[in-house]
Every structure is written in structure tokens, then in C-alpha cells.
């Protein structure tokens, strides 16, 4: 069992930056791939970024590539999403997820956080 708690969301102007954090409970964090998804009102939950259990392989959606970076610190049981050059279309609830491997499909992930709101004003 893994419990995930996101933090770091908020309101930012277009072009600004935020760093999301996701703290995981338990001693098996380093065994899980981790991911970030987001869901805007009226839209499906979409993959943003994923990282392998060791942190050696990362994946980013085309819509955020070059602007967002996923990373993890297994000693701190935490995964991060650094978001730069934010755009109004990045506005969504951002969710942290844990699973056996990185997948762009939300249904393949085993554990979810409660989400954190990111709002980008124009």
C-alpha cells in the first residue's frame, strides 16, 4: 500500500514556474514507477510525465516537453514536477500516481494522490 500526498500547486501568471511535490508513505517507494497526470474541467485525465523506479528513464507528454521535468528522490520518498513557462492551458488538477511501470494510460496506475490545483492566468 502506498499513500501519496501532492503539494505545491497554486495560482501563477503565464510564463511563470511552479514545482509540484508528491510525498509517498511506505518503505517500498523505490520499487514503483511514478507519474504525473492532470485533469481540466470537462476533460479526461491525461498523462503529463512518468519516471522509472530508479529514476533513470523519464517520459514527458509532447505538450509539456521542454517545459516540464519530472524527477525523484528515493531517499526522501518524493517525486517532483518542475513546471516552467506555464501556459493558461496547463490549468488543471494535477495528480501523482504510483505503479509497476510507466504508462500513458491512467487506468494502469495502482495508487493516486488527492490532487493539487494549478491555475495559470493569462
Amino acid at each position: 500500500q502506498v499513500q501519496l500526498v501532492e503539494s505545491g500547486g497554486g495560482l501563477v501568471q503565464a510564463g511563470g514556474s511552479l514545482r509540484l511535490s508528491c510525498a509517498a508513505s511506505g518503505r517500498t517507494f523505490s520499487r514503483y514507477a511514478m507519474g504525473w497526470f492532470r485533469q481540466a474541467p470537462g476533460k479526461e485525465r491525461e498523462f503529463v510525465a512518468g519516471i522509472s523506479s530508479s529514476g533513470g528513464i523519464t517520459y514527458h507528454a509532447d505538450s509539456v516537453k521542454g517545459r516540464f521535468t519530472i524527477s525523484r528522490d528515493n531517499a526522501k520518498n518524493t517525486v517532483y514536477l518542475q513546471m516552467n513557462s506555464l501556459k493558461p492551458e496547463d490549468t488543471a488538477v494535477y495528480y501523482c500516481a504510483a505503479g509497476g511501470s510507466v504508462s500513458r494510460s491512467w487506468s494502469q496506475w495502482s495508487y493516486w494522490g488527492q490532487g493539487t490545483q494549478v491555475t495559470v492566468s493569462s
Side-chain angles (χ1 to χ4, degrees):
Q1 189 78 10
V2 178
Q3 292 184 327
L4 305 172
V5 179
E6 302 98 334
S7 62
L11 173 64
V12 63
Q13 288 188 333
S17 299
L18 283 174
R19 188 176 81 155
L20 304 183
S21 300
C22 173
S25 65
R27 293 175 289 179
T28 60
F29 175 76
S30 62
R31 298 180 185 177
Y32 289 96
M34 300 297 296
W36 288 96
F37 284 74
R38 66 186 181 187
Q39 189 166 19
K43 294 188 176 181
E44 292 190 355
R45 191 168 297 192
E46 66 170 347
F47 174 82
V48 175
I51 188 166
S52 62
S53 57
S54 68
I57 302 174
T58 60
Y59 308 82
H60 296 83
D62 288 343
S63 58
V64 306
K65 202 169 291 183
R67 300 187 299 123
F68 292 9
T69 303
I70 189 171
S71 62
R72 68 188 295 162
D73 186 338
N74 285 347
K76 295 183 178 180
N77 281 15
T78 302
V79 62
Y80 305 97
L81 184 68
Q82 178 66 44
M83 306 187 294
N84 299 328
S85 302
L86 282 160
K87 304 175 181 180
E89 50 263 45
D90 295 318
T91 295
V93 177
Y94 282 71
Y95 297 91
C96 173
S101 61
V102 175
S103 172
R104 295 177 184 268
S105 172
W106 65 267
S107 64
Q108 298 301 308
W109 295 80
S110 301
Y111 302 101
W112 292 89
Q114 81 290 349
T116 185
Q117 176 70 47
V118 171
T119 302
V120 184
S121 63
S122 57

